[in-house]
Amino acid sequence: MDEFMQAAIAEAKAGKQAGGIPIGSVLVKAGKIIGRGHNKRVQDGDPVTHAEIDCLRNAGRIGNYKGTTLYSTLMPCYLCAGAVVQFGIKKVVAGESKTFPGAREFMESHGVEVVDCSLDECEEMMSDFITNNPELWNEDIGE
């Protein structure tokens, strides 16, 4: 596991410690993290503050996203995949997609390279959360 996925996992853990959903994300450009975030829907009372959206907000205005890679502990949903496509991010690295398949095909159909690392740590973190917080999880995914 590389340092960028480790940073995304650290964000997920920070979100969980703050009473939220354990999903984390980092945006990398030229080998450096330029943005990081975690799911803050619960903390902020904001239905669209997913980890990837928080990460992009924290990166700020960067001009363009050529050469960036978005790391996320979970395969991005359609909301976050839409942001990836909208901003022209061409690579997404996901920690896992077993607990939630996300919008992989949507991103790939728009020319995004998607890498699913299938990491046990990410899967266990989400599986535990979903088991212990099914109502909150279903709200997060719109069910």
Side-chain angles (χ1 to χ4, degrees):
M1 177 182 345
D2 68 25
E3 65 183 290
F4 304 125
M5 185 56 72
Q6 289 174 344
I9 290 170
E11 283 294 323
K13 290 177 179 178
K16 181 180 178 187
Q17 286 181 332
I21 299 168
I23 304 169
S25 183
V26 298
L27 184 66
V28 176
K29 186 171 188 172
K32 294 183 180 179
I33 295 173
I34 61 170
R36 56 180 72 227
H38 53 268
N39 188 304
K40 293 181 181 171
R41 287 182 55 258
V42 174
Q43 299 92 314
D44 292 354
D46 181 348
V48 296
T49 309
H50 288 201
E52 299 86 349
I53 301 301
D54 187 46
C55 174
L56 292 170
R57 282 181 177 152
N58 291 331
R61 294 180 61 210
I62 66 169
N64 71 60
Y65 293 82
K66 291 180 182 173
T68 61
T69 300
L70 183 71
Y71 286 76
S72 182
T73 57
L74 184 65
M75 186 66 68
C77 68
Y78 281 95
L79 170 71
C80 299
V84 165
V85 170
Q86 178 69 31
F87 293 125
I89 297 169
K90 293 299 182 189
K91 186 172 183 179
V92 170
V93 179
E96 65 101 1
S97 65
K98 187 173 181 183
T99 61
F100 181 72
R104 180 181 188 145
E105 291 176 5
F106 172 78
M107 290 185 286
E108 289 175 337
S109 75
H110 285 86
V112 178
E113 176 188 355
V114 180
V115 177
D116 184 348
C117 297
S118 299
L119 296 173
D120 291 340
E121 183 175 6
C122 293
E123 183 184 332
E124 289 169 12
M125 191 166 32
M126 283 310 302
S127 291
D128 289 348
F129 180 82
I130 292 166
T131 297
N132 294 319
N133 304 278
E135 289 180 16
L136 187 55
W137 174 243
N138 287 333
E139 177 187 326
D140 192 60
I141 60 173
E143 290 187 7

